[in-house]
PDB file of all heavy atoms in Angstrom:
ATOM      1  N   MET X1350     -88.713  24.503  62.923  1.00 97.00           N
ATOM      2  CA  MET X1350     -87.479  25.203  62.615  1.00 97.00           C
ATOM      3  C   MET X1350     -87.664  26.226  61.490  1.00 97.00           C
ATOM      4  O   MET X1350     -86.930  27.206  61.412  1.00 97.00           O
ATOM      5  CB  MET X1350     -86.397  24.195  62.226  1.00 97.00           C
ATOM      6  CG  MET X1350     -86.088  23.172  63.305  1.00 97.00           C
ATOM      7  SD  MET X1350     -85.464  23.949  64.816  1.00 97.00           S
ATOM      8  CE  MET X1350     -83.908  24.590  64.242  1.00 97.00           C
ATOM      9  N   GLY X1351     -88.617  25.973  60.644  1.00 96.00           N
ATOM     10  CA  GLY X1351     -88.851  26.898  59.536  1.00 96.00           C
ATOM     11  C   GLY X1351     -89.967  26.383  58.650  1.00 96.00           C
ATOM     12  O   GLY X1351     -90.367  25.217  58.724  1.00 96.00           O
ATOM     13  N   GLY X1352     -90.503  27.255  57.832  1.00 95.00           N
ATOM     14  CA  GLY X1352     -91.559  26.852  56.927  1.00 95.00           C
ATOM     15  C   GLY X1352     -92.066  28.023  56.101  1.00 95.00           C
ATOM     16  O   GLY X1352     -91.712  29.180  56.335  1.00 95.00           O
ATOM     17  N   GLU X1353     -92.892  27.689  55.133  1.00 97.00           N
ATOM     18  CA  GLU X1353     -93.498  28.698  54.280  1.00 97.00           C
ATOM     19  C   GLU X1353     -94.819  28.162  53.746  1.00 97.00           C
ATOM     20  O   GLU X1353     -95.052  26.945  53.727  1.00 97.00           O
ATOM     21  CB  GLU X1353     -92.579  29.054  53.116  1.00 97.00           C
ATOM     22  CG  GLU X1353     -92.264  27.887  52.189  1.00 97.00           C
ATOM     23  CD  GLU X1353     -91.343  28.283  51.053  1.00 97.00           C
ATOM     24  OE1 GLU X1353     -90.713  29.352  51.133  1.00 97.00           O
ATOM     25  OE2 GLU X1353     -91.252  27.501  50.087  1.00 97.00           O
ATOM     26  N   SER X1354     -95.665  29.053  53.352  1.00 97.00           N
ATOM     27  CA  SER X1354     -96.973  28.662  52.806  1.00 97.00           C
ATOM     28  C   SER X1354     -97.314  29.539  51.605  1.00 97.00           C
ATOM     29  O   SER X1354     -96.823  30.676  51.485  1.00 97.00           O
ATOM     30  CB  SER X1354     -98.063  28.786  53.872  1.00 97.00           C
ATOM     31  OG  SER X1354     -98.258  30.147  54.226  1.00 97.00           O
ATOM     32  N   THR X1355     -98.154  28.980  50.761  1.00 97.00           N
ATOM     33  CA  THR X1355     -98.638  29.706  49.578  1.00 97.00           C
ATOM     34  C   THR X1355    -100.142  29.480  49.455  1.00 97.00           C
ATOM     35  O   THR X1355    -100.604  28.322  49.540  1.00 97.00           O
ATOM     36  CB  THR X1355     -97.942  29.206  48.309  1.00 97.00           C
ATOM     37  OG1 THR X1355     -96.531  29.371  48.451  1.00 97.00           O
ATOM     38  CG2 THR X1355     -98.424  29.975  47.092  1.00 97.00           C
ATOM     39  N   PHE X1356    -100.860  30.549  49.298  1.00 97.00           N
ATOM     40  CA  PHE X1356    -102.317  30.463  49.154  1.00 97.00           C
ATOM     41  C   PHE X1356    -102.708  31.082  47.809  1.00 97.00           C
ATOM     42  O   PHE X1356    -102.366  32.236  47.516  1.00 97.00           O
ATOM     43  CB  PHE X1356    -103.022  31.194  50.296  1.00 97.00           C
ATOM     44  CG  PHE X1356    -104.494  30.963  50.341  1.00 97.00           C
ATOM     45  CD1 PHE X1356    -105.021  29.872  50.992  1.00 97.00           C
ATOM     46  CD2 PHE X1356    -105.366  31.864  49.710  1.00 97.00           C
ATOM     47  CE1 PHE X1356    -106.387  29.665  51.042  1.00 97.00           C
ATOM     48  CE2 PHE X1356    -106.729  31.659  49.749  1.00 97.00           C
ATOM     49  CZ  PHE X1356    -107.252  30.550  50.410  1.00 97.00           C
ATOM     50  N   ARG X1357    -103.425  30.291  47.001  1.00 96.00           N
ATOM     51  CA  ARG X1357    -103.895  30.752  45.690  1.00 96.00           C
ATOM     52  C   ARG X1357    -105.420  30.801  45.695  1.00 96.00           C
ATOM     53  O   ARG X1357    -106.069  29.824  46.062  1.00 96.00           O
ATOM     54  CB  ARG X1357    -103.411  29.812  44.593  1.00 96.00           C
ATOM     55  CG  ARG X1357    -101.895  29.705  44.457  1.00 96.00           C
ATOM     56  CD  ARG X1357    -101.517  28.774  43.329  1.00 96.00           C
ATOM     57  NE  ARG X1357    -100.079  28.610  43.198  1.00 96.00           N
ATOM     58  CZ  ARG X1357     -99.380  27.685  43.842  1.00 96.00           C
ATOM     59  NH1 ARG X1357     -99.998  26.849  44.680  1.00 96.00           N
ATOM     60  NH2 ARG X1357     -98.083  27.614  43.662  1.00 96.00           N
ATOM     61  N   GLN X1358    -105.929  31.904  45.277  1.00 95.00           N
ATOM     62  CA  GLN X1358    -107.386  32.079  45.241  1.00 95.00           C
ATOM     63  C   GLN X1358    -107.822  32.434  43.817  1.00 95.00           C
ATOM     64  O   GLN X1358    -107.242  33.330  43.188  1.00 95.00           O
ATOM     65  CB  GLN X1358    -107.821  33.180  46.210  1.00 95.00           C
ATOM     66  CG  GLN X1358    -109.319  33.323  46.339  1.00 95.00           C
ATOM     67  CD  GLN X1358    -109.701  34.374  47.371  1.00 95.00           C
ATOM     68  OE1 GLN X1358    -109.247  35.529  47.268  1.00 95.00           O
ATOM     69  NE2 GLN X1358    -110.505  33.984  48.342  1.00 95.00           N
ATOM     70  N   THR X1359    -108.840  31.725  43.365  1.00 95.00           N
ATOM     71  CA  THR X1359    -109.399  31.989  42.042  1.00 95.00           C
ATOM     72  C   THR X1359    -110.862  32.397  42.205  1.00 95.00           C
ATOM     73  O   THR X1359    -111.655  31.638  42.794  1.00 95.00           O
ATOM     74  CB  THR X1359    -109.315  30.747  41.146  1.00 95.00           C
ATOM     75  OG1 THR X1359    -107.944  30.350  41.014  1.00 95.00           O
ATOM     76  CG2 THR X1359    -109.903  31.040  39.767  1.00 95.00           C
ATOM     77  N   ILE X1360    -111.190  33.577  41.725  1.00 93.00           N
ATOM     78  CA  ILE X1360    -112.578  34.069  41.770  1.00 93.00           C
ATOM     79  C   ILE X1360    -113.164  33.902  40.366  1.00 93.00           C
ATOM     80  O   ILE X1360    -112.637  34.457  39.390  1.00 93.00           O
ATOM     81  CB  ILE X1360    -112.621  35.544  42.203  1.00 93.00           C
ATOM     82  CG1 ILE X1360    -112.024  35.688  43.611  1.00 93.00           C
ATOM     83  CG2 ILE X1360    -114.053  36.054  42.161  1.00 93.00           C
ATOM     84  CD1 ILE X1360    -111.930  37.124  44.075  1.00 93.00           C
ATOM     85  N   ASP X1361    -114.228  33.138  40.340  1.00 92.00           N
ATOM     86  CA  ASP X1361    -114.847  32.844  39.049  1.00 92.00           C
ATOM     87  C   ASP X1361    -116.365  32.982  39.184  1.00 92.00           C
ATOM     88  O   ASP X1361    -117.050  32.054  39.624  1.00 92.00           O
ATOM     89  CB  ASP X1361    -114.467  31.436  38.593  1.00 92.00           C
ATOM     90  CG  ASP X1361    -114.927  31.134  37.172  1.00 92.00           C
ATOM     91  OD1 ASP X1361    -115.448  32.064  36.526  1.00 92.00           O
ATOM     92  OD2 ASP X1361    -114.768  29.977  36.744  1.00 92.00           O
ATOM     93  N   THR X1362    -116.849  34.147  38.845  1.00 90.00           N
ATOM     94  CA  THR X1362    -118.284  34.411  38.879  1.00 90.00           C
ATOM     95  C   THR X1362    -118.719  34.958  37.521  1.00 90.00           C
ATOM     96  O   THR X1362    -117.900  35.176  36.618  1.00 90.00           O
ATOM     97  CB  THR X1362    -118.615  35.430  39.987  1.00 90.00           C
ATOM     98  OG1 THR X1362    -117.986  36.684  39.668  1.00 90.00           O
ATOM     99  CG2 THR X1362    -118.139  34.929  41.344  1.00 90.00           C
TER     100      THR X1362
END
Side-chain angles (χ1 to χ4, degrees):
M1350 301 298 294
E1353 61 180 16
S1354 67
T1355 302
F1356 189 86
R1357 299 181 182 89
Q1358 186 177 55
T1359 301
I1360 299 176
D1361 188 5
T1362 64

